[in-house]
Amino acid sequence: MNRTLFDCGIKREVETRNGRLLDVTATLPKSIELPKKHVKCEICNGLFTAEKYLRTHVRFKHNSNLFNLGKDSSFCNNHVDSGLSKSTELHAKKATSKEGEETNDEITIETKRNPQKPDNRRGRNQRKSYKVEFKVKTIELLDSLKGTKTKKKWQKWNKNRDKLRAELDLNKRKKNAGGVKAARQRRKLVHEKAQKSEKYPLAAQRLMVEFKLRRANGCKVSKLWLKQKMKANIELCYGKEEAAKFRGSSNWFQRFKKRHNISFRHRSNKKQNSADDGRETIQRFHRNLRKAVKSRRRRSSSTLDAKYGRWSPENRYNIDQVPLPFVVDQDKTYDVTGNKQVWVSQPSTGLDKRQATLQLCIRAEGEQRVKPAIVFRGKGNVSSAVRAEYDRDVDVYFQRCAWMDSEINMQWVSGTLLPGVGNSPNEKVIFADNVGFQQVKQFHEACREEINAIVYLLPENQTDKVQPIDAGYGKLIKSKVGEAMEGWLEKEANLEEWHDKLSAKRRRILMTQWTAQAWRELSTNKGLCKKLFEKTGCLMTADGSNDDQIRPQGLESYVFYKNKHIYS
């Protein structure tokens, strides 16, 4: 105990709150541990706390039997393991006896260390880095020696002998100069320079002026518009040769947005409902559909398919209505980040809401023969010349509120559904929702008598999960209509017409053209409809072979059967 502490005025006993005296000396350590003297290895300058650890280190780290080289081999082995990031030079000399036989080789390695940067990194004895030159020299040295014991790392180098020599040749030609760290630094510098620099600065400035003017008018800016305008400005400022070299890749587009502080903005947001609602209703629908697929129609002599049962994939249809606005997908645009108001103009107000009703009928497999039908607002007093301007791949109907009612639906059955489906002897099934005009007896009888099809109604309020058109086809065709509209707006004459008020006649003609273009594009995708039918369960099999493909949107880990042996 150091008595000078109490000579300085520190009390041995302290009075506590309860009046007792606490002996301070009881809490002080009784002895002081002096720092231990470390033992230094003369070969590698390593420090150890005891002699026994040093002896173990010398025995295993500096083994004198390596290479069968006598005393100098321990020094060689140590410095081979310590890595060659310290500019090591290797020299091998061979000595021969008087009879001409080879004797033990002498290896000398000179290591140069940087005195200003001590090598005291954590784990330096485990993490080693070797230069290509050292690896090649080590392989050549092992080839010249006989009866040597090699380590695993040298055996690995020997396997990659050709690759090491090729890399060494590249280094000599200065095509692969520098280490990994230097190469990373160079790539980082080049990347930062590419992020900040502009290859065509004049064209970029002109593009930003046009971009701001277009956004000031409230026009939507798309990725395609930016690419086309950039290429046109390059041709104007730098010539056609430079414009031909410009590709407008995704990397360029991302760097251009970052340089000019442009981001993809939304005009509005939409809320999402609970996706797990109605799980039991959907499971009951699929169980009943499995029973219907395995059953047979009365007074029918047709045989059931082994896999699909009563209805084959080409005989399964889905009918649904999609609200169709004139201005499609105009609520998103590129704008300067931070702007509080994002404005997108249109010919007149309300055109982004429903202007017509699009009636679709798709089949699970085979060619899509039923044309899309558009129901416009009006009485249908249109001249034959105007009707001739409508696209031939779209059937047009008129209703006072642009709705599909029972009367228009029957006109559609005779004018569109019957020519597209035909009256084949094979029985068909049409999946439809519970809207009023699709529940009337007249519609069911017309389908059964004219096209030999039964109407299978889907569960209420669950059509977004079990109806193929609602599961993705309707959204896709609307997005394709929006792309067709954007392609039409890329022409300057059309853009001027867009800002002027378009007449109702002109809007109807454009809507038929854009819809037909979208339908033709989706019809080329042969597997799209089949995947949607499988996903929603409308392509139900009789043997249960594709039950794992039924994945209604938002329902995770979905199964509809309680006992697989009963319902599959």
Side-chain angles (χ1 to χ4, degrees), residues 108-144:
T108 304
I109 297 182
E110 299 177 0
T111 305
K112 298 180 182 180
R113 298 178 180 270
N114 187 2
Q116 298 179 356
K117 187 177 181 180
D119 192 7
N120 56 357
R121 296 175 299 170
R122 179 181 177 185
R124 63 183 182 276
N125 294 330
Q126 288 79 18
R127 297 191 297 269
K128 307 301 177 185
S129 176
Y130 303 95
K131 291 185 178 180
V132 181
E133 293 83 353
F134 173 77
K135 294 179 182 179
V136 175
K137 289 181 180 180
T138 304
I139 294 172
E140 294 175 352
L141 175 61
L142 292 176
D143 291 341
S144 63

Side-chain angles (χ1 to χ4, degrees), residues 540-552:
M540 179 75 64
T541 57
D543 57 357
S545 56
N546 292 340
D547 286 353
D548 57 336
Q549 302 294 330
I550 302 176
R551 298 185 300 273

Side-chain angles (χ1 to χ4, degrees), residues 275-491:
D276 202 48
D277 294 344
R279 180 185 287 265
E280 295 181 0
T281 304
I282 298 173
Q283 291 173 340
R284 191 183 310 112
F285 161 74
H286 284 145
R287 289 195 293 267
N288 294 335
L289 182 59
R290 169 62 55 78
K291 295 178 182 179
V293 167
K294 298 173 71 173
S295 65
R296 181 178 297 177
R297 190 176 179 180
R298 295 180 181 179
R299 302 176 183 177
S300 176
S301 59
S302 61
T303 59
L304 298 179
D305 186 76
K307 181 177 181 180
Y308 292 103
R310 185 173 176 179
W311 305 297
S312 59
E314 60 271 11
N315 291 325
R316 301 193 187 192
Y317 294 84
N318 177 220
I319 298 174
D320 194 24
Q321 301 77 38
V322 178
L324 187 63
F326 177 72
V327 179
V328 181
D329 197 16
Q330 289 288 304
D331 56 345
K332 303 174 185 177
T333 182
Y334 286 100
D335 199 358
V336 177
T337 305
N339 284 355
K340 295 182 179 180
Q341 183 179 2
V342 181
W343 176 44
V344 178
S345 69
Q346 57 189 22
S348 61
T349 59
L351 293 182
D352 55 342
K353 300 180 180 179
R354 186 184 65 88
Q355 300 294 313
T357 299
L358 178 62
Q359 176 104 331
L360 296 173
C361 180
I362 61 174
R363 65 196 302 191
E365 196 173 77
E367 183 182 358
Q368 303 296 333
R369 298 176 180 175
V370 183
K371 298 179 182 180
I374 300 180
V375 182
F376 290 119
R377 181 182 289 106
K379 297 181 179 180
N381 298 327
V382 181
S383 63
S384 58
V386 175
R387 287 184 178 271
E389 297 186 30
Y390 297 155
D391 198 287
R392 295 182 178 180
D393 288 336
V394 175
D395 292 337
V396 177
Y397 299 92
F398 288 89
Q399 201 265 350
R400 184 172 58 87
C401 298
W403 294 339
M404 178 67 73
D405 56 11
S406 180
E407 180 182 355
I408 302 300
N409 188 43
M410 295 308 300
Q411 295 179 14
W412 173 81
V413 169
S414 59
T416 303
L417 183 63
L418 179 59
V421 175
N423 191 10
S424 61
N426 297 327
E427 186 186 14
K428 308 168 190 63
V429 60
I430 299 176
F431 295 99
D433 53 19
N434 286 270
V435 68
F437 60 85
Q438 292 181 160
Q439 296 186 27
V440 297
K441 184 179 180 180
Q442 185 181 3
F443 173 65
H444 288 243
E445 292 179 352
C447 292
R448 183 172 59 253
E449 295 174 0
E450 296 183 8
I451 60 177
N452 192 20
I454 66 169
V455 179
Y456 200 100
L457 296 180
L458 301 171
E460 296 182 3
N461 302 324
Q462 306 299 331
T463 55
D464 58 326
K465 303 179 182 65
V466 296
Q467 186 165 220
I469 293 178
D470 278 350
Y473 193 88
K475 183 179 179 180
L476 280 175
I477 197 168
K478 287 181 70 173
S479 64
K480 294 297 181 183
V481 170
E483 292 178 5
M485 183 188 65
E486 287 186 4
W488 182 82
L489 285 173
E490 294 303 325
K491 299 180 181 179

